[in-house]
């Protein structure tokens, strides 16, 4: 019995860590302010053009518009928010198919937006028993809230490993991690190898926890360098426990896209600012006095431009240097080395949260199941019930990525039935997002490949003449999260203003 409890505790904590991947996304949504949805045509002029209306682009634009600059935002989707995408159902039910939560204490900028625009937040529902499903056996047990001070025994080694990494990374300069002692060596060492070398004898549950937690934010630890892991440790406030403790995870009124909608509406009140949706930029050329952003049937002439899309997506834009020659080399090299992680998110709508009457929290983890992690995403007030899941496109047999939407829904729903019973098969609506297949996102969040920081890192945030770059992958604090996107956008806006 003790072994089974320990195993269940480890699986629960692993699931909490894995949920952290739900912090990014893209596709159709709602229309903010007086944004136009038909797509831009013709030629217009502005002080600053912004390519991309995710949080990085919106905050850059807001910073500039409030300083009196005439701003035009060009967004290829038919909504703002970038990788924060909220599908709104009746009676305040929401499917956050991209970024899922604001995390208390470590996301002060996002919390500030909610206060400024009077957007409610509330804690994630965690009352009741959690479900685990392993080897065809369903069990229930108490919810777990790991902390460094009181770690669940099965993953204590994993938490101690994170602590040691955070201590080692204490003096990393987030603006210049390539200056860290032994940076070259650390940047060519796979982080998983570092963990094995410095944590001999670590148990299987701790390894699973580390793979789930790290896989959610910087990415699987066998895909990037130890230097990048050190950078991320510093950027995440020394692997703050708030990231894997659900007590700190806040839901957002109308979903995580709501602050983006409000910022967009705010921008369009300033000095002729406008947001053009369904407008795909293809090229940016510049000379000594201006930039020209062009796409099919339109041009925008401006003094400066902010490219606020993921680095891999930025590679698809044809750009020039100030002398008119094609932009190649160092800037393109670093963008090519920020690899996006994939992910599948899906949500089900029910007439009520039936699992709560059974004493369940709605939280479930299943080893080997297509829906490997499930949580309660219901509205704050009594009404409909919502369950969400997060998994990878390779989960399932055959893999989810290869299925039709109907097959994928059936496979994921089958996991829910195993966790919560036959009522889970009776959803009234369903929504999903497959991030690997979104050509305007290419994934959920990025990490640096081996050697990227020391070879090309100094160009990650460097402007090229009148072209500036912003994205959560170019951020520092809150890297790979909405927080990092906002701070990156604010920094670039101030850079253009000379602040």
């Amino acid at each position: 019995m003790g072994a089974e409890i320990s195993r269940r505790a480890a699986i629960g904590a692993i699931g909490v860590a894995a949920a952290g991947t739900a912090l990014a996304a893209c596709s159709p949504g709602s229309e903010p302010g007086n944004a136009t949805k038909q797509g831009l045509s013709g030629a217009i002029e502005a002080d600053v053009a912004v390519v991309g209306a995710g949080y990085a682009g919106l905050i850059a634009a807001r910073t500039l518009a409030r300083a009196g600059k005439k701003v035009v935002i060009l967004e290829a989707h038919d909504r703002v928010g970038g990788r924060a995408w909220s599908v709104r159902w009746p009676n305040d039910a929401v499917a956050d198919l991209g970024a899922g939560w604001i995390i208390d204490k470590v996301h002060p900028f996002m919390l500030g937006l909610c206060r400024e625009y009077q957007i409610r937040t509330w804690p994630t529902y965690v009352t009741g028993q959690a479900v685990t499903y392993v080897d065809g056996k369903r069990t229930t047990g108490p919810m777990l809230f790991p902390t460094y001070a009181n770690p669940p025994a099965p993953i204590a080694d994993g938490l101690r490993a994170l602590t040691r990494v955070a201590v080692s990374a204490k003096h990393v300069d987030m603006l210049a991690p390539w200056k860290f002692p032994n940076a070259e060596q650390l940047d060519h060492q796979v982080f998983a190898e570092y963990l094995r070398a410095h944590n001999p004898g670590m148990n299987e549950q701790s390894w699973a926890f580390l793979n789930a937690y790290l896989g959610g934010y910087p990415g699987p630890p066998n895909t990037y360098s130890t230097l990048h892991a050190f950078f991320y440790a510093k950027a995440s406030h020394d692997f703050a426990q708030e990231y894997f403790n659900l007590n700190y995870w806040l839901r957002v009124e109308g979903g995580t896209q709501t602050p983006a909608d409000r910022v967009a509406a705010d921008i369009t009140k300033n000095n002729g600012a406008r947001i053009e949706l369904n407008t795909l930029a293809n090229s940016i050329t510049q000379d000594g006095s201006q930039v020209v952003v062009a796409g099919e049937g339109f041009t925008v002439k401006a003094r400066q431009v902010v490219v606020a899309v993921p680095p891999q997506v930025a590679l698809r834009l044809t750009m020039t240097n100030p002398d008119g020659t094609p932009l190649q080399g160092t800037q393109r090299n670093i963008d090519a080395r920020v690899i996006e992680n994939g992910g599948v998110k899906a949500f089900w709508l029910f007439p009520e949260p039936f699992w709560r009457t059974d004493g369940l929290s709605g939280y479930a983890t299943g080893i080997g199941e297509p829906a490997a992690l499930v949580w309660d995403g219901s509205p704050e007030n009594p009404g409909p019930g919502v369950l969400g899941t997060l998994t990878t496109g390779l989960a399932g047999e055959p893999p989810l990525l290869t299925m039709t939407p109907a097959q994928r829904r059936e496979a994921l729903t089958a996991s829910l039935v195993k966790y919560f019973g036959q009522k889970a098969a009776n959803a009234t609506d369903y929504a999903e997002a497959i991030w690997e297949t979104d050509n305007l996102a290419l994934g959920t969040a990025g990490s640096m490949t081996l050697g990227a920081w020391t070879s090309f890192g100094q160009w990650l945030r460097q402007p090229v003449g009148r072209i500036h770059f912003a994205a959560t992958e170019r951020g520092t604090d809150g890297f790979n999260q909405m927080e990092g996107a906002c701070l990156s956008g604010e920094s670039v806006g101030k850079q253009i203003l000379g602040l």
Side-chain angles (χ1 to χ4, degrees), residues 90-226:
N91 300 312
D92 299 324
V94 175
D96 271 325
L97 291 172
W101 296 268
I102 294 174
I103 302 179
D104 198 10
K105 295 188 177 181
V106 294
H107 288 168
F109 196 103
M110 287 299 300
L111 288 170
L113 290 180
C114 290
R115 286 191 298 269
E116 180 178 354
Y117 296 112
Q118 298 182 338
I119 302 167
R120 283 185 50 73
T121 62
W122 66 92
T124 296
Y125 186 85
V126 293
T127 302
Q129 299 279 292
V131 173
T132 59
Y133 191 87
V134 184
D135 298 331
K137 182 180 179 182
R138 176 187 181 275
T139 58
T140 61
M143 290 287 292
L144 296 174
F145 308 104
T147 66
Y148 287 112
N150 186 28
I155 63 166
D157 285 352
L159 290 172
R160 282 192 286 268
L162 289 179
T163 300
R164 284 192 286 270
V165 172
V167 170
S168 297
K170 189 174 183 62
H171 298 295
V172 168
D173 180 350
M174 288 190 290
L175 292 175
W178 52 89
K179 295 181 179 179
F180 190 72
N182 299 316
E184 188 77 26
Q185 176 184 347
L186 293 171
D187 204 25
H188 287 84
Q189 177 188 44
V190 176
F191 184 47
E193 296 178 358
Y194 174 93
L195 287 172
R196 280 191 288 269
H198 288 78
N199 300 278
M202 188 160 61
N203 62 33
E204 180 182 352
Q205 294 97 325
S206 287
W207 275 114
F209 167 76
L210 288 175
N211 276 286
Y213 168 65
L214 296 169
Y217 288 102
N222 62 347
T223 62
Y224 51 86
S225 72
T226 299

Side-chain angles (χ1 to χ4, degrees), residues 199-258:
N199 300 278
M202 188 160 61
N203 62 33
E204 180 182 352
Q205 294 97 325
S206 287
W207 275 114
F209 167 76
L210 288 175
N211 276 286
Y213 168 65
L214 296 169
Y217 288 102
N222 62 347
T223 62
Y224 51 86
S225 72
T226 299
L227 181 63
H228 184 65
F230 282 13
F231 163 80
Y232 182 78
K234 190 71 174 291
S236 63
H237 304 269
D238 300 330
F239 291 129
Q241 64 191 20
E242 287 83 1
Y243 286 117
F244 48 77
N245 187 323
L246 284 169
N247 280 317
Y248 297 95
W249 293 24
L250 302 177
R251 302 281 311 288
V252 182
E253 176 188 1
T256 56
Q257 187 183 322
T258 300

Side-chain angles (χ1 to χ4, degrees), residues 302-328:
R303 300 286 295 172
Q304 310 276 350
V305 63
V306 178
V307 177
V309 297
Q312 286 272 336
V313 178
L315 285 172
R316 297 182 174 185
L317 283 164
T318 301
M319 300 186 230
T320 67
N321 292 300
D323 63 3
T325 58
L327 178 60
Q328 298 173 336

